[in-house]
Amino acid sequence: MTDLATRAAPPRDGALRRAVPALLGYAAVRALGLVVLAVWSAARDKSAYTLLTARWDALWYTRVADLGYGYEVRLPNGDVHSNLAFFPLLPWLERLLHAVTPLSYADAGFVVSLLASLAAAWGIFAVTDHVYGRRAGVCAVLLWAVLPVGIVQSMAYSESLFTALAAWSLYAVLTGRWPAAGALAALAGLTRPVGLAVVAAVWAAAIVSFGRGGGAADARVARAGERAPVASADDPSERVGASEGAPDASRAPGAVPRLLAMLVAPLGAAGYVLWVGHRTGKGPLGYLDVQAGWRNGFDGGAAFARFVADKFTSFPSALAGAGLIVGVGLVIWLYVACVRGRQPLPLLVYAGVVTALALCASSYFGSKPRLLLPAFPLLLPLALALSRLRTSRSALVVGGVAAASAVYGAFWLNGSGPP
């Protein structure tokens, strides 16, 4: 298994230019989704903008931005829904943007998500391009855009912001920028509880790097982790291999940057969790009590398994149960493909933790596809397969899936929507 692929990154002045096709394709897919949502919502006499900015979790984030922490809802069954469950980086950004512009908090959340989704798309491209080449990078971004729940990327939710921070932290690890990796991991930890996945990826990469001795050993690891050859079906001469992006031994970090990354990475999540514990007076694990008020926790997937089993009590719901089993099987198959494809260790650790936390949460089963949205490394085997098709054929596939995704997103938000 490839543990870590540390190579020189493209020159900064060419990095954005290299990503332009991916970003344009991403913007086109998201624009299609928003147009279909607007038309569908208008036909149902609903506001598409309200669905994107002032429903479900978006309301909780704007309340934090406006009123701060301390708001809670007590339900008739005794459950307490506290806004302490929501990590602070998105509402902080909403408050900042509201303070310097005429935008409302909801408007600010929408703008932050739009910008963060572009940053996430760029980060996904950068990671995939670094490991597998430019063509696979473009395909990975487009696949992330056309996910059935891709409309969430345009909502005033924290998924896009978190994915952007996670992707760029992983890219920093892969290119040996350890202080940046740690700082971005800390910010990811201030965004969502699953920031733990980014911290784990940084720690795993740093520990492996220490184990291999660092310095010249990092260069040897880089040679072991060079990109696999990917041939373009349109241009057989477009290949990525050992001759490209050879490791730059002069960039091999010493122990201090790696230690600094390991120290900084958990500060965001740990700082917020400890603050919640102090505020609630329930000690370091007080955040778990807050989550329990939402009937959310980690039970190894037992509650989700019971939820799926209950679907088989009648014929119509049995079809939904079968669909859930197929979906979980597909996620597991993709992760196994990532392992067999020798993805760099940080990507495997990150995707594995995100997947485990999403599938093994004890509540909000309808949210699981949304919770899996940041696990973009799972898409890389599909991106590689798509990159080997002719451009006309891959465009047809992506276009068809993008249309279906846009229709589903509009149907979903005008129906049950993401809880």
Side-chain angles (χ1 to χ4, degrees):
M1 181 185 299
T2 300
D3 291 320
L4 182 60
T6 307
R7 294 188 290 104
R12 291 184 181 180
D13 58 353
L16 178 57
R17 190 183 318 116
R18 188 172 176 85
V20 164
L23 297 179
L24 290 176
Y26 177 79
V29 172
R30 292 272 40 88
L32 174 63
L34 293 175
V35 168
V36 173
L37 175 65
V39 172
W40 191 297
S41 301
R44 295 175 59 87
D45 199 25
K46 291 185 178 181
S47 167
Y49 191 69
T50 298
L51 293 175
L52 293 169
T53 63
R55 294 284 302 276
W56 306 293
D57 288 6
L59 277 176
W60 287 91
Y61 283 118
T62 55
R63 286 195 187 107
V64 173
D66 185 17
L67 305 173
Y69 285 106
Y71 176 84
E72 62 183 29
V73 175
R74 294 184 177 272
L75 304 182
N77 65 357
D79 290 346
V80 178
H81 287 185
S82 167
N83 66 358
L84 289 169
F86 296 87
F87 276 48
L89 186 57
L90 177 57
W92 283 351
L93 293 176
E94 290 176 343
R95 183 179 297 177
L96 174 63
L97 198 55
H98 170 74
V100 300
T101 69
L103 296 175
S104 68
Y105 293 112
D107 295 338
F110 183 63
V111 171
V112 169
S113 290
L114 286 184
L115 296 177
S117 68
L118 288 171
W122 188 7
I124 291 169
F125 171 82
V127 169
T128 312
D129 176 35
H130 183 80
V131 179
Y132 295 117
R134 185 182 190 185
R135 189 177 176 86
V138 173
C139 292
V141 170
L142 293 176
L143 288 174
W144 191 65
V146 303
L147 288 172
V149 294
I151 190 65
V152 174
Q153 298 162 18
S154 301
M155 297 180 67
Y157 271 41
S158 61
E159 272 77 8
S160 288
L161 179 61
F162 174 78
T163 305
L165 293 168
W168 283 108
S169 179
L170 292 170
Y171 180 72
V173 169
L174 293 174
T175 55
R177 294 173 168 87
W178 291 99
L184 289 166
L187 291 174
L190 281 171
T191 308
R192 295 184 64 81
V194 76
L196 171 66
V198 191
V199 177
V202 172
W203 273 61
I207 290 170
V208 167
S209 182
F210 279 123
R212 293 178 178 271
D218 276 345
R220 291 195 297 272
V221 174
R223 282 191 285 272
E226 284 166 354
R227 297 184 295 200
V230 179
S232 166
D234 291 323
D235 182 5
S237 66
E238 182 186 323
R239 297 179 183 275
V240 179
S243 62
E244 293 189 23
D248 181 358
S250 66
R251 288 180 54 84
V256 172
R258 285 173 285 165
L259 283 172
L260 180 62
M262 294 180 71
L263 290 173
V264 170
L267 293 183
Y272 181 68
V273 167
L274 291 174
W275 178 81
V276 170
H278 173 74
R279 180 176 177 117
T280 59
K282 296 182 178 180
L285 300 181
Y287 182 77
L288 298 181
D289 289 335
V290 171
Q291 285 284 16
W294 288 78
R295 291 184 178 262
N296 201 12
F298 186 90
D299 65 355
F304 184 44
R306 290 193 298 270
F307 173 78
V308 174
D310 289 343
K311 293 292 182 182
F312 290 92
T313 57
S314 64
F315 174 71
S317 63
L319 296 177
L324 289 171
I325 292 174
V326 170
V328 172
L330 176 61
V331 169
I332 295 173
W333 176 81
L334 286 173
Y335 188 74
V336 171
C338 292
V339 175
R340 296 184 63 183
R342 300 173 61 84
Q343 277 190 17
L345 179 64
L347 302 187
L348 293 176
V349 171
Y350 168 75
V353 175
V354 172
T355 301
L357 291 176
L359 295 182
C360 297
S362 60
S363 187
Y364 294 98
F365 307 118
S367 296
K368 292 191 182 297
R370 174 172 66 86
L371 298 178
L372 285 167
L373 194 62
F376 69 89
L378 295 178
L379 299 174
L380 300 194
L382 299 178
L384 274 173
L386 188 62
S387 70
R388 296 187 176 107
L389 299 177
R390 293 187 179 277
T391 300
S392 58
R393 188 170 299 176
S394 59
L396 184 63
V397 171
V398 171
V401 177
S405 175
V407 171
Y408 177 77
F411 167 78
W412 189 43
L413 288 196
N414 278 276
S416 61

